Amino acid sequence: MIENRVVLITGSASGMGRDTAFAMAAAGAKVVINDINEEKVVQTVEELKAQGYEALGVVANICDRASVEDMVGTVTSEFSGIDILVNNAGMERAGPIRNLSEEDWDITINVNLKGAFLCTKAVHSQMVKKGFGRIINIASRAWLGGSGQAPYSSAKAGMVGLTRSIALELGKYGVTSNCIAPGLIHTPMWDELEEKTRKYLLSKQPTGKLGETRDIANAVCFLATEESSFITGQVLYVCGGRSLCAS
Amino acid sequence: MSGFDQKIVLIVGEPDEVAIATGRKLAGAGTVITLCGDNGHSQLEAASASIRLYGNDTGWMHSELSGAEDARNVVGQMTEKYGRLDIVVVNLAAEARMQSRNSVGLDQTPYGSVSYAMHLIEAALPVLRANGQGRIVVIGSIDYLGAPEHAGLSSAYASLFGLTRSLALQIACDGVTVNTVVKGDIEDPAMVEEEKAKVLQSIPVKRLGQAEDVANAIGYFAADAARYVTGQTLFVCGGRSMHYSMSI
Ligand SMILES: NC(=O)c1ccc[n+]([C@@H]2O[C@H](COP(=O)([O-])OP(=O)(O)OC[C@H]3O[C@@H](n4cnc5c(N)ncnc54)[C@H](O)[C@@H]3O)[C@@H](O)[C@H]2O)c1
């Protein structure tokens, strides 16, 4: 169970991170909302508290080591320490490689991969000390590769390597590390896509449907409990079977 | 776990610790369990009785676990008794292991178990589809990634792997999911200390698994919560799969 566990979810003022925060709070966890978007952090925390949940907001850029260390310090002093880390913050710069700039590459790698590394580095020692910890990385099915997705796919593939290395390193201390690889999920970004693109993407879905943010939240909740203590270093695809077929 | 209330569950194959732990987990969540195996009546009754302590009435049926007709008969008995079937757990990997325990050669390959798994799923599919939200969970073994002196066994398991993926694609639109939970090294009282120490070397979490570990993962895939997860293989192995290629 995750009752009374402290969970830090990066990039959780929006999308699936936000939904995961509500799901975990409903299951009794104390949730920490982190994001770079201050307004949304405040709003999310207010909504959580209005529902009677215990929540804390921390505005921090996960690509910056000092900010991450400060964030972890704040959470540790406010709550008893961090039991579960969900590396969820992410973004994508897409396009054919000829159009991609060095900056596109750097920012995509920094937010998705370096951010996950910095957060993991900052929280893992307290998990090791406690003999319990869960590190759950939100990668993407796109780590398998995607045309026009060189930086994003590389960053997400990097997260898979990070997940597995941490799993091998910390397994003996009761800390597990797993990846969730979402496929198409219904988020605001989806609604902004052109009708034609949406139709095309849906035609590639074995289920013929999109996933919802709560499908990701459900998977995070499963991997966050003691129930999953013999599962580590794994990639769980939550993608309606999309990882099984050709694009 | 929510959404399990009164769901009808069939657990097919060896009524071993994993099957019992799965039954307990799902019965505790409010489902109605039937065990089906080729074992003696007393063994099936004992396994059912130990599940019954955790929830609703648990039943069992004997089957030869062989052939299409037998599979249709098993599913037929379920629908006759309950009018529906929601969750099928296929534990024929354990059955295969039993069959091949004393064999090293390919001639002993336990394809019988695999073909029964196929017959059973074929028979269950129309019933699951009718609900628009069925669940099939296949229990596999990490041996499919390759294991010396287990060529027969590992090729049989590998075919379950292919089965899950192809079937998942075929029925994804019907709301029926098919996933495999691959079990790693599960604590076995018969294991001697020396053997245990050797096995532990390759397990990152430095402990052997419990049947409950496998049952918990089956519980996740069987739940409404996992409706967007299909065709997947989840290793419940304390991280041992990371040493192998072809495991993600
Ligand atoms: N939406 C999908 O279909 C989909 C599919 C596969 C994977 N993913 C992955 O899932 C995760 C969540 O996706 P989403 O769709 O919910 O995204 P989202 O854009 O709704 O939310 C991501 C949040 O991360 C925050 N963020 C960005 N950079 C940050 C930084 N440097 N520090 C702190 N916070 C930062 C953003 O402000 C935003 O609120 C991402 O890692 C994404 O790559 C999404």
Side-chain angles (χ1 to χ4, degrees), chain B residues 91-148:
Chain B
N91 192 26
L92 292 159
E95 198 74 24
R97 180 169 284 284
M98 310 275 289
Q99 283 175 28
S100 67
R101 187 153 277 171
N102 302 313
S103 75
V104 282
L106 277 166
D107 53 330
Q108 300 287 329
T109 300
Y111 283 128
S113 292
V114 175
S115 74
Y116 189 72
M118 294 191 189
H119 290 312
L120 185 91
I121 290 170
E122 193 168 38
L125 265 184
V127 186
L128 294 169
R129 276 176 154 153
N131 301 339
Q133 53 157 348
R135 294 283 183 272
I136 300 169
V137 185
V138 176
I139 303 175
S141 159
I142 197 164
D143 281 352
Y144 92 85
L145 293 169

Side-chain angles (χ1 to χ4, degrees), chain B residues 208-221:
Chain B
L208 290 172
Q210 302 294 323
E212 288 73 22
D213 293 316
V214 182
N216 291 339
I218 294 169
Y220 167 69
F221 286 119

Side-chain angles (χ1 to χ4, degrees), chain A residues 36-225:
Chain A
I36 31 169
N37 186 325
E38 182 167 6
E39 197 189 317
K40 281 190 176 169
V41 168
V42 172
Q43 193 192 336
T44 307
V45 171
E46 266 174 18
E47 277 178 47
L48 281 159
K49 286 189 172 164
Q51 295 194 23
Y53 302 140
E54 233 177 304
L56 173 72
V58 187
V59 179
N61 177 355
I62 55 157
C63 308
D64 180 67
R65 185 170 57 87
S67 310
V68 169
E69 286 170 359
D70 283 351
M71 166 170 71
V72 171
T74 308
V75 178
T76 311
S77 60
E78 288 281 324
F79 291 145
S80 52
I82 299 166
D83 304 299
I84 303 160
L85 167 67
V86 185
N87 284 311
N88 164 79
M91 50 80 66
E92 173 168 21
R93 291 273 176 90
I97 194 155
R98 67 174 177 278
N99 294 348
L100 289 168
S101 65
E102 186 179 352
E103 196 247 331
D104 291 331
W105 173 268
D106 286 343
I107 191 166
T108 311
I109 297 291
N110 282 344
V111 175
N112 292 284
L113 183 55
K114 184 181 169 186
F117 165 71
L118 290 177
C119 292
T120 303
K121 188 171 162 61
V123 303
H124 83 283
S125 50
Q126 47 171 293
M127 293 177 172
V128 166
K129 220 177 272 164
K130 237 183 318 195
F132 177 91
R134 295 282 180 270
I135 298 167
I136 301 166
N137 295 325
I138 309 298
S140 169
R141 188 206 59 86
W143 84 275
L144 295 170
S147 174
Q149 292 192 294
Y152 186 69
S153 175
S154 305
K156 294 304 193 184
M159 283 181 99
V160 174
L162 176 67
T163 304
R164 289 162 63 95
S165 301
I166 298 300
L168 286 164
E169 216 170 296
L170 304 184
K172 57 178 173 291
Y173 304 110
V175 180
T176 68
S177 159
N178 290 290
C179 246
I180 292 170
L184 276 189
I185 302 290
H186 192 185
T187 56
M189 221 193 309
W190 172 262
D191 295 321
E192 286 160 22
L193 294 175
E194 278 179 52
E195 172 76 22
K196 197 177 75 190
T197 315
R198 279 187 291 182
K199 263 212 181 116
Y200 171 78
L201 290 172
L202 271 180
S203 74
K204 301 287 174 202
Q205 277 299 109
T207 48
K209 281 191 205 130
L210 289 179
E212 300 293 331
T213 50
R214 78 178 148 104
D215 294 313
I216 304 303
N218 291 339
V220 175
C221 287
F222 166 61
L223 290 173
T225 61

Side-chain angles (χ1 to χ4, degrees), chain B:
Chain B
M1 288 196 297
S2 60
F4 274 125
D5 212 27
Q6 297 298 319
K7 288 228 162 119
I8 305 301
V9 182
L10 175 66
I11 303 178
V12 184
E14 190 57 24
D16 59 0
E17 278 114 15
V18 170
I20 291 173
T22 303
R24 289 175 166 179
K25 169 108 195 152
L26 296 176
T31 65
V32 179
I33 314 277
T34 302
L35 295 178
C36 169
D38 60 356
N39 318 76
H41 293 190
S42 58
Q43 196 185 345
L44 288 165
E45 172 50 30
S48 304
S50 73
I51 295 172
R52 236 169 261 146
L53 301 171
Y54 287 74
N56 291 327
D57 199 22
T58 298
W60 55 266
M61 65 173 98
H62 177 87
S63 136
E64 290 309 318
L65 301 182
S66 169
E69 199 183 317
D70 180 284
R72 280 195 296 271
N73 184 33
V74 166
V75 172
Q77 284 189 51
M78 289 300 289
T79 48
E80 202 168 297
K81 184 163 178 196
Y82 299 107
R84 58 187 291 144
L85 179 59
D86 303 297
I87 299 164
V88 178
V89 178
V90 181
N91 192 26
L92 292 159
E95 198 74 24
R97 180 169 284 284
M98 310 275 289
Q99 283 175 28
S100 67
R101 187 153 277 171
N102 302 313
S103 75
V104 282
L106 277 166
D107 53 330
Q108 300 287 329
T109 300
Y111 283 128
S113 292
V114 175
S115 74
Y116 189 72
M118 294 191 189
H119 290 312
L120 185 91
I121 290 170
E122 193 168 38
L125 265 184
V127 186
L128 294 169
R129 276 176 154 153
N131 301 339
Q133 53 157 348
R135 294 283 183 272
I136 300 169
V137 185
V138 176
I139 303 175
S141 159
I142 197 164
D143 281 352
Y144 92 85
L145 293 169
E149 284 155 30
H150 283 83
L153 195 62
S154 93
S155 62
Y157 287 147
S159 54
L160 283 177
F161 173 76
L163 170 76
T164 321
R165 293 172 65 100
S166 301
L167 196 66
L169 285 172
Q170 205 171 314
I171 62 179
C173 274
D174 304 319
V176 181
T177 70
V178 198
N179 292 287
T180 301
V181 171
V182 174
K183 62 178 177 189
D185 306 280
I186 302 301
E187 185 107 47
D188 176 357
M191 202 183 261
V192 294
E193 276 311 311
E194 202 177 310
E195 196 186 341
K196 192 169 158 179
K198 193 169 165 238
V199 174
L200 282 178
Q201 277 176 9
S202 64
I203 306 179
V205 301
K206 298 297 166 212
R207 71 166 176 91
L208 290 172
Q210 302 294 323
E212 288 73 22
D213 293 316
V214 182
N216 291 339
I218 294 169
Y220 167 69
F221 286 119
D224 289 346
R227 65 193 177 149
Y228 198 53
V229 186
T230 193
Q232 303 305 323
T233 303
L234 182 65
F235 291 82
V236 182
C237 64
R240 198 184 119 198
S241 66
M242 283 186 282
H243 303 298
Y244 301 75
S245 63
M246 309 267 317
S247 63
I248 34 177

